Amino acid sequence: MVMKKNSQQQQYIIDEMKKSTINEFRYHYQNYDIGFAANFVPHEMFLEIEDLQEAFEIGMSEKEKQMIEGDNMSDLFREALGELFLEKIIMFKDSSTVAVTQKGEDMFIVPDRMYKTP
């Protein structure tokens, strides 16, 4: 299997998409009222891939928009999600929904820590 090599600009955008995805989960976790039960009930939050991609697009800078001109945004976003999956940070519920894994929650959500690329 031959892996496609991304340009530096494409990899930068993919890394920004990964940060945006984790930040969306952090935001939703902080605004999800689970109260006292949070200490006793496993927390599972699923977000739609389409919503995650839209959140990234809304927050894109003009520079980022120029960087991906000619690239397929959906392909880059799927690649970003694939990398997060391989890092065991997210899991797929189905083809349109993802959740943070326990590892991802322990690393970024509960301590409210920013995602940094490995």
Side-chain angles (χ1 to χ4, degrees):
M1 180 176 170
V2 177
M3 296 294 288
K4 178 186 133 198
K5 180 74 173 150
N6 291 317
S7 71
Q8 231 177 1
Q9 288 182 334
Q10 289 170 323
Q11 192 57 53
Y12 171 81
I13 294 296
I14 289 168
D15 291 343
E16 291 301 306
M17 289 173 168
K18 290 163 59 174
K19 289 176 192 174
S20 174
T21 297
I22 297 302
N23 287 338
E24 281 300 306
F25 277 105
R26 287 174 52 233
Y27 170 79
H28 285 280
Y29 182 84
Q30 291 171 352
N31 292 298
Y32 184 68
D33 187 19
I34 54 178
F36 181 72
N39 296 324
F40 306 103
V41 178
H43 180 253
E44 268 189 359
M45 184 185 326
F46 296 98
L47 297 177
E48 297 293 318
I49 293 171
E50 185 177 306
D51 294 341
L52 293 169
Q53 184 174 339
E54 184 178 327
F56 176 75
E57 289 177 31
I58 289 170
M60 284 177 72
S61 68
E62 287 303 314
K63 178 184 173 188
E64 290 169 335
K65 289 176 184 176
Q66 291 173 353
M67 289 173 80
I68 63 166
E69 225 171 70
D71 288 323
N72 184 320
M73 171 77 90
S74 293
D75 287 347
L76 291 174
F77 200 79
R78 281 192 294 275
E79 190 164 340
L81 292 178
E83 288 184 16
L84 286 171
F85 176 77
L86 291 174
E87 293 171 35
K88 297 182 169 104
I89 304 296
I90 64 165
M91 63 182 169
F92 291 89
K93 176 183 178 190
D94 54 40
S95 63
S96 63
T97 313
V98 295
V100 170
T101 63
Q102 186 64 50
K103 175 184 175 184
E105 190 170 324
D106 292 343
M107 290 175 72
F108 305 110
I109 308 303
V110 174
D112 195 19
R113 189 175 310 141
M114 293 290 290
Y115 174 85
K116 296 196 185 330
T117 54

